[in-house]
Amino acid sequence: AQSVSQHNHHVILSEAASLELGCNYSYGGTVNLFWYVQYPGQHLQLLLKYFSGDPLVKGIKGFEAEFIKSKFSFNLRKPSVQWSDTAEYFCAVSEYGNKLVFGAGTILRVKS
Amino acid sequence: SQTIHQWPATLVQPVGSPLSLECTVEGTSNPNLYWYRQAAGRGLQLLFYSVGIGQISSEVPQNLSASRPQDRQFILSSKKLLLSDSGFYLCAWTGTSTGYTFGSGTRLTVV
């Protein structure tokens, strides 16, 4: 079955620390890849997406993600986190542009 | 511009009562429509999706059903709610050249 795995459910970092959230998927074909963020009490927002081209994708708020096809991975990174990055982060994958399947989410808490 | 409306924002229902959540999309035609649920401590789970009027695909067997009576209307229903139906329900749509857009969500608490 198609699946998306996020390796850590809870991550706690201090401000200015670097962030990397892992995401792996099990699809074998062409995929579109997404990272969404949900800040406390707010809606889901799109951070970044990959459809094709440069596998290093830049998103909003200083986030980036790298698509490594051979590893079926799409890890999210940020060089220096801020307290305002405290949120839940979801990796999502759409095969052939169809339905979006989400990972279980990673709750990030940034200590000020 | 395209917008998506989802209501109500919050709902508290007793066990055994019926449910109807509505989602409508404006500014586009023939969207793909989706219902997701986010249960406490868990990720987003795809419940149903629809590629056209009357066409519903169910991803997870459960106490819920979905219908699409009009092109831009997607309804999530239940005849008898269970405690385990509590969660945050999100409607979303995609078009031929657009990514996913999510509604504001409905927080359902079954008591």
Side-chain angles (χ1 to χ4, degrees):
Chain A
Q2 304 153 342
S3 67
V4 180
S5 299
Q6 290 184 241
H7 310 307
N8 307 98
H9 190 55
H10 283 93
V11 173
I12 302 174
L13 294 173
S14 299
E15 277 194 307
S18 64
L19 170 72
E20 180 160 4
L21 301 182
C23 174
N24 287 88
Y25 60 93
S26 65
Y27 300 82
T30 302
V31 292
N32 297 333
L33 301 159
F34 306 80
W35 274 98
Y36 285 86
V37 61
Q38 189 172 24
Y39 297 102
Q42 296 188 28
H43 312 154
L44 271 177
Q45 299 176 41
L46 180 65
L47 267 182
L48 48 80
K49 60 186 177 184
Y50 172 81
F51 283 9
S52 64
D54 188 345
L56 185 60
V57 181
K58 303 285 187 184
I60 61 171
K61 305 187 181 186
F63 286 91
E64 65 178 31
E66 184 175 12
F67 170 49
I68 302 179
K69 189 174 181 180
S70 61
K71 294 184 178 180
F72 298 91
S73 70
F74 191 55
N75 292 354
L76 180 71
R77 299 195 292 250
K78 186 171 183 178
S80 175
V81 296
Q82 301 171 315
W83 177 80
S84 58
D85 293 323
T86 293
E88 189 162 13
Y89 293 81
F90 295 94
C91 180
V93 179
S94 171
E95 189 178 31
Y96 304 114
N98 291 328
K99 58 188 179 183
L100 201 58
V101 177
F102 285 82
T106 298
I107 297 171
L108 171 66
R109 186 165 79 87
V110 180
K111 299 184 293 184
S112 58
Chain B
S1 62
Q2 301 109 345
T3 56
I4 179 169
H5 301 280
Q6 190 180 340
W7 66 93
T10 59
L11 192 59
V12 180
Q13 292 283 99
V15 169
S17 64
L19 173 74
S20 181
L21 301 181
E22 188 163 342
C23 172
T24 59
V25 180
E26 294 178 359
T28 187
S29 59
N30 197 31
N32 292 341
L33 296 170
Y34 308 83
W35 277 110
Y36 286 87
R37 176 171 62 198
Q38 185 178 18
R42 299 178 63 183
L44 279 157
Q45 182 183 41
L46 178 62
L47 301 176
F48 301 96
Y49 70 97
S50 170
V51 298
I53 296 174
Q55 300 179 61
I56 308 294
S57 296
S58 174
E59 289 296 299
V60 182
Q62 59 213 320
N63 184 42
L64 302 168
S65 62
S67 62
R68 185 169 177 175
Q70 300 179 45
D71 181 46
R72 289 170 287 179
Q73 185 184 30
F74 203 26
I75 298 172
L76 183 70
S77 304
S78 173
K79 292 183 179 177
K80 287 186 179 182
L81 284 169
L82 306 172
L83 286 174
S84 58
D85 292 323
S86 293
F88 188 63
Y89 290 83
L90 279 165
C91 180
W93 77 275
T94 60
T96 54
S97 59
T98 58
Y100 279 74
T101 302
F102 289 88
S104 54
T106 297
R107 185 160 301 284
L108 171 67
T109 304
V110 182
V111 296

